[in-house]
Each structure stands twice: as C-alpha cells, then as structure tokens.
Amino acid sequence: MITDTFISVYDLVIFLGVFQGIFLSGFFIRSGRKEVRANLYQGLLILTLSMTMFEELLNNTGYIVQVLAISNFAEPLNFVFGPLAFLFIRSLLYPESKRKNWPHFLIMAFWLLYMIPYFIQSNEFKYNSYVGVKHPDWEYLDVPVRFFEDPVGIRDYINQLTGIHFSLYIFGMIRLFLKRGRELNERLMALKDTKLRLARNVIIHFLVIMGIFSVVKLSFPGDVGDVFISSYLSFMIFSTSWMVVRNSAFFVQPQFFLQIPGMKYEKSSLSEADKSAIHQKVLNEMEEQRYFARNLASLKDLSQTIKETPHHVSQVINEVMGKGFFELLAWYRVEEAKRIISRDEEAKLTVEDIAEQVGYNSKSSFNTVFKKLTGQTPSEFRRTSR
C-alpha cells in the first residue's frame, strides 16, 4: 500500500470548514429543538455535510489509508442532503405542518444496509476502492474477493443517483416556494415576505451547488474533483459563521471572553420546580407586564420585582430560556417593535417613537439591535412588511 500523505491549501480550507461546521451545527440543532424547528434541519444538514467533507479530506490527503476501516462511511449521507434541505424549506414556510418526516430517509437507510457487504470487506479491498476513485494511475493490490460488495451493481451509479435524488428535492422545494407565494399573493420578482425571500435564496444556492456538482463529476474521473465541492461548502460554512456572529445579540452588552459556559451555576441549589416557578414569573413580567419596555430595565431590578435573587433569575434565564438577560431583553423589545410596525399601517410613528415605546433611549442602539436580530433596520422591515 502507498501510505504517502498530501496536504494542499484546499485541504487546510476543508479542515477548517469541517471543524467549524460541526461546531456550528450544534447551535442550530439546539435552537431547532427549543425554538425554530427549521434550524434543526439546517443544523443536521450542516453536520452531515461536514461529515462528508471530512471523508473527502481523508481521501484527498491520503490519511484514509491509516483508517481504511471507515472508508466510504459517509456515502449513505448522499441521500440525506436533499431531504434535510426540503424539510428546512417546508418548516420555514409551513411551520405548523404535521406531516411525517421519516419516509424521506428511507433511501438513505436502504443504502446504508446495502453497503454492509462493502463495510465488512478487508482493508486491502478498501485500499483498491480508494485507488480507483482517487488515484486511478496507481497499481492495485492483488486481493481475493470472497463475496461481491455490490450485489446488483448500483454503487457504480452513486453520482448519477445522488444528482437525480437531489434534483427531485430541489423541485419539491421550488414547488413549496411557489405554492406559498401564491397563498400570500406575492410577486416573485418583488417578494416582501422575509421567509419567502430566504426560501428563494436557499433554493438558488442549492441550484448553484447542483451546478458545481454536475460540472465536477463531468470534468473529473471518479472522485478526483470532489475537493472543489468540499472547498466551496467550507466557504459557505465560513460565511454562515460570519453571519451568526454578526447578528448575535451577544455583543449588545459588554461580555468577557474568558467566561466558561455551564460552570457559572454548577453549585446552584435550585430544584427543577424552583426553576419552573421563576421561569413563569419572568414570562409573566415580560409578556403580561411588559417589563422589557422599561428604559432602566436590569437584572437586579427584574429580580427585585419578582422577589427572587439575581443569581437565580440569571440562572433560569440562561438555562431554561437559552439566553442571557440582555439577549432576552433585546429579543422581547424587537418582537414588540415588529408588532408595533405591523400595526402602524399609515406609518405615523417615527423610529424614535417606536424605540421609546419598547424601552430604548437611543435610536442608534435600537437600530443596531433590531438589525442584529432581524437582518433589517426598522425602516427596511416596515417597507417589506407591507
């Protein structure tokens, strides 16, 4: 076996993309389980893409020869990308949909089972498989085959089947997008609905990925050109990370970079019942009493209002509500501002008026927070919400 390794600039980019993708996917999955369902599918999509990119990294650098036992472990994931992208679009446009999701993953499950004969082949056999797709000019090992790893020969058409499968799901995404546009009486060339615009951009992006996939597979033998697909996906993960950080409410208030998540409340005596009671008090104060609209709102003042200690209130907000105090405050203020703008059909209220109503003393602070959480300024949101 040839055990040489090769590391290029592309491999370094892919390595960073894999690491960042796995890290980023955790936040999307966590958000999807607690808040926005669409983020669950987005997180799972990023995670599965990262795993596929990792396999490509091993193959492209030659390190796969050191771990031949896991060769082609990500191949069944080819039939996950389309379903996850489709479910993201469906949960984005129809968040109340109750349709079953598991049928979308039957082909992936079948392919996983079908690959068992390959997975139990010898390392020498898997080495030949690696040579065939990445280094067709290298010599093959003389390996006796005890049983056939591809009983009906369909793995030879994995690229074509992946392309067809993904294309069908792109068609499904376009169909959902057009249906929702008709329901909202939206013009495709001048979309006002934020979710529809996002869906349109996602679909365009996947069409681009499909185009790159087609060009690479037609231009290179085997999997030689897959490094370009993985490099492109890495840059998209970098772009997503940049947007997450740029729009995060973390920077609304001063923070310290050496804080360790999860350690702050390790010795807390709060029971689950206590947490639930404090959680209800916070919700009542925010939603019924509109505490967030006070321009001098603070953790200490909120704690005094609901007759709890600041430490316990902070713990509940972080652990149960998944936000810091100022993140929570900003979220409620922006959500209320969006409601005010939507009700203000004649646009009589100025941005300063709205900022004051939701608790901000400064128009610039209000604009900054609003754009971080929505991606738009209040004025832009007003124009697109009509």
Side-chain angles (χ1 to χ4, degrees):
M1 293 185 189
I2 298 177
T3 59
D4 295 346
T5 56
F6 321 86
I7 300 177
S8 66
V9 174
Y10 291 111
D11 300 317
L12 294 176
V13 170
I14 295 170
F15 172 77
L16 293 175
V18 169
F19 180 83
Q20 197 158 337
I22 293 173
F23 181 76
L24 186 64
S25 67
F27 292 96
F28 278 101
I29 293 171
R30 180 174 179 271
S31 169
R33 292 177 62 187
K34 292 186 175 182
E35 298 168 8
V36 184
R37 190 68 176 174
N39 281 344
L40 173 62
Y41 302 116
Q42 184 169 194
L44 291 172
L45 179 59
I46 294 173
L47 178 61
T48 52
L49 284 172
S50 299
M51 293 172 65
T52 303
M53 290 160 54
F54 178 60
E55 183 184 89
E56 169 57 23
L57 178 66
L58 292 175
N59 282 324
N60 201 57
T61 58
Y63 279 103
I64 190 64
V65 179
Q66 313 298 325
V67 285
L68 284 168
I70 64 170
S71 177
N72 281 324
F73 73 91
E75 186 173 308
L77 297 181
N78 285 23
F79 301 103
V80 167
F81 308 141
L84 288 176
F86 173 81
L87 292 174
F88 168 76
I89 293 293
R90 191 174 74 183
S91 57
L92 174 70
L93 300 180
Y94 296 95
E96 304 304 322
S97 175
K98 301 297 183 182
R99 293 187 178 182
K100 294 180 180 179
N101 296 330
W102 63 265
H104 293 280
F105 301 100
L106 288 176
I107 295 179
M108 183 277 292
F110 163 77
W111 204 269
L112 180 62
L113 292 173
Y114 185 80
M115 286 193 66
I116 290 176
Y118 174 84
F119 290 143
I120 61 179
Q121 294 285 344
S122 66
N123 285 346
E124 290 76 14
F125 181 94
K126 293 177 181 178
Y127 174 80
N128 282 347
S129 177
Y130 158 67
V131 169
V133 297
K134 278 295 183 180
H135 301 285
D137 55 321
W138 289 6
E139 290 186 12
Y140 290 85
L141 299 178
D142 184 14
V143 180
V145 179
R146 286 170 286 183
F147 54 90
F148 197 39
E149 50 86 27
D150 187 7
V152 295
I154 58 174
R155 288 193 62 227
D156 290 338
Y157 302 97
I158 179 65
N159 291 328
Q160 294 90 327
L161 292 172
T162 298
I164 293 171
H165 186 258
F166 197 64
S167 296
L168 290 173
Y169 274 98
I170 290 178
F171 175 77
M173 288 187 275
I174 294 173
R175 189 167 173 269
L176 281 180
F177 168 72
L178 295 175
K179 177 184 175 184
R180 188 59 176 162
R182 288 193 298 270
E183 291 171 353
L184 297 177
N185 294 318
E186 288 271 14
R187 291 187 301 161
L188 297 183
M189 303 307 295
L191 294 173
K192 295 180 180 180
D193 184 80
T194 304
K195 291 182 177 180
L196 272 177
R197 289 205 308 274
L198 175 58
R200 176 197 61 194
N201 295 341
V202 168
I203 291 169
I204 291 173
H205 178 61
F206 280 120
L207 286 171
V208 171
I209 292 177
M210 192 64 209
I212 294 173
F213 175 83
S214 301
V215 170
V216 166
K217 292 304 179 181
L218 290 173
S219 304
F220 297 91
D223 295 338
V224 175
D226 285 5
V227 63
F228 299 110
I229 301 173
S230 293
S231 298
Y232 175 78
L233 292 173
S234 295
F235 281 113
M236 295 314 304
I237 288 174
F238 300 152
S239 175
T240 302
S241 299
W242 165 251
M243 288 189 290
V244 169
V245 173
R246 184 171 179 269
N247 294 317
S248 172
F250 181 86
F251 301 101
V252 173
Q253 297 293 329
Q255 304 286 350
F256 187 53
F257 79 100
L258 289 180
Q259 292 182 130
I260 302 177
M263 297 295 289
K264 186 176 180 181
Y265 308 109
E266 188 175 5
K267 297 181 180 180
S268 173
S269 60
L270 274 183
S271 67
E272 291 303 316
D274 292 333
K275 290 180 185 179
S276 179
I278 295 174
H279 181 216
Q280 287 304 316
K281 288 182 181 181
V282 172
L283 286 177
N284 179 71
E285 200 62 32
M286 288 292 184
E287 297 176 3
E288 301 298 329
Q289 307 302 322
R290 298 182 76 254
Y291 177 83
F292 61 84
R294 301 184 189 183
N295 54 21
L296 296 177
S298 68
L299 177 62
K300 182 179 179 181
D301 182 64
L302 174 62
S303 303
Q304 291 174 344
T305 301
I306 65 175
K307 297 180 173 55
E308 299 286 350
T309 67
H311 182 77
H312 285 169
V313 174
S314 176
Q315 179 182 351
V316 169
I317 291 174
N318 277 269
E319 293 183 354
V320 180
M321 307 181 81
K323 295 177 172 63
F325 171 75
F326 289 106
E327 288 179 298
L328 184 70
L329 197 65
W331 185 84
Y332 271 108
R333 285 175 170 177
V334 169
E335 288 301 304
E336 179 64 13
K338 288 160 63 178
R339 284 192 287 269
I340 292 172
I341 292 171
S342 298
R343 292 196 303 263
D344 187 27
E345 296 181 357
E346 297 180 9
K348 292 181 179 180
L349 295 173
T350 64
V351 174
E352 290 88 344
D353 292 332
I354 298 170
E356 185 177 348
Q357 287 189 34
V358 299
Y360 285 102
N361 295 319
S362 164
K363 174 186 174 182
S364 61
S365 297
F366 174 56
N367 276 334
T368 299
V369 174
F370 194 97
K371 187 165 185 178
K372 279 184 179 296
L373 295 184
T374 67
Q376 298 175 298
T377 64
S379 299
E380 291 169 342
F381 180 82
R382 170 175 271 160
R383 287 195 298 271
T384 58
S385 63
R386 300 198 178 285

